[in-house]
Amino acid sequence: MTAPALVALAHGSRDPRSAATINALTELARCMRPDLRIETAFLDLCEPGFDEVVDGLVAEGYSEIVVVPLLLTEAYHAKVDVPQAAQAATDRHSGLSIHVTKVLGIESAFFHVLDRRLRESLRKNRVRELDALVLAGAGSSDPLANAMISRAARAWGAHHRLPTIAAFASSVPPAAGEAVRQHRADGRRHIAVGMLFLAPGVLPDRVAELATEAGAVAVAEPLGAEQEIAQVLLARYAVGAVELVPLEAMFA
């Protein structure tokens, strides 16, 4: 029996660096699991779109698809856009089963990637001392999604034993610049900023600009295509593939 196809579904961005990063992450997952059919799709702004990818897989004979949303929080896209896209695809194709998994979320392994990106930025800027951190995420109208960023900031700060403020690129305060200025108002001068974004784009660029203007000594790059993230992608797929197996088949 052919294993379900995996569709890694990202939101999409007009910034070509974003699509390049998502495609690199998908390619890394393919290298780790060459036995699986793994495709990248985007909800908006990039090609290929989700409908196009699903239609192509169905034309090749796939009747089961696991969709892994490449999102770090359970916000509007995860709760509304992705389920609607999956439902529309199943309505369009008789006999097609699609299971949408949990989002990537913010797994503990991702903090290792955050630290690597931070060290890279510190070396680039020849920074040898830190007394505060800011952890920036996208921001959402969903307070639970924002709370995930805030919890991640507390955990990251506790690990490094540094005061850490969560910042947001949109929807809610504080912005990255405000967070840096808040640290400076408390007497701290060596402030670095980490990025809870998968890929480069407009929002990470805004974070970097505002943080630098406010006096941050280093701003890390987004997480990017890393093995830890690909492993979580494949782990989400594994759970989703099991969910597609009928109960009678599991206990036969």
Side-chain angles (χ1 to χ4, degrees):
M1 184 173 63
T2 302
L6 190 171
V7 174
L9 182 58
H11 178 265
S13 169
R14 292 186 176 87
D15 190 321
R17 296 173 299 166
S18 178
T21 301
I22 297 301
N23 285 324
L25 176 62
T26 306
E27 183 58 32
L28 183 56
R30 287 192 193 102
C31 292
M32 296 166 69
R33 286 292 306 271
D35 56 311
L36 294 181
R37 179 62 180 274
I38 303 176
E39 296 291 340
T40 305
F42 299 93
L43 283 169
D44 197 13
L45 303 175
C46 291
E47 298 293 337
F50 181 66
D51 289 347
E52 177 186 345
V53 170
V54 170
D55 292 351
L57 290 170
V58 170
E60 292 180 30
Y62 284 92
S63 60
E64 295 182 323
I65 297 172
V66 175
V67 175
V68 181
L70 299 183
L71 302 168
L72 298 180
T73 60
E74 289 271 4
Y76 184 85
H77 297 309
K79 294 178 178 179
V80 178
D81 291 340
V82 175
Q84 285 182 350
Q87 186 61 55
T90 54
D91 291 345
R92 199 169 63 252
H93 295 286
S94 176
L96 175 64
S97 297
I98 296 179
H99 180 78
V100 178
T101 75
K102 291 170 51 179
V103 300
L104 290 179
I106 306 171
E107 293 291 327
S108 58
F110 293 2
F111 289 100
H112 300 305
V113 184
L114 270 174
D115 287 347
R116 282 205 297 275
R117 293 290 174 262
L118 179 62
R119 287 193 295 268
E120 290 165 2
S121 183
L122 295 177
R123 284 195 298 268
K124 178 181 176 182
N125 292 281
R126 298 181 180 180
V127 176
R128 298 183 179 275
E129 179 183 354
L130 285 181
D131 54 15
L133 294 168
V134 171
L135 185 58
S140 170
S141 58
D142 188 323
L144 294 179
N146 296 330
M148 288 182 66
I149 303 295
S150 296
R151 284 196 298 271
R154 289 194 296 271
W156 198 42
H159 173 71
H160 290 289
R161 299 181 182 179
L162 289 172
T164 304
I165 298 174
F168 304 94
S170 64
S171 299
V172 291
E178 296 173 57
V180 171
R181 282 190 287 272
Q182 184 176 330
H183 277 313
R184 291 180 65 83
D186 290 336
R188 300 179 179 93
R189 292 295 179 267
H190 307 282
I191 305 153
V193 179
M195 293 270 200
L196 266 181
F197 294 89
L198 271 183
V202 174
L203 293 183
D205 284 352
R206 182 186 302 169
V207 167
E209 179 181 2
L210 293 175
T212 302
E213 287 178 351
V217 296
V219 179
E221 293 292 325
L223 300 175
E226 293 289 338
Q227 184 173 10
E228 292 92 336
I229 300 169
Q231 286 173 336
V232 172
L233 167 61
L234 292 171
R236 294 284 185 269
Y237 166 83
V239 173
V242 171
E243 293 289 337
L244 282 171
V245 178
L247 284 176
E248 57 269 23
M250 294 179 67
F251 294 100

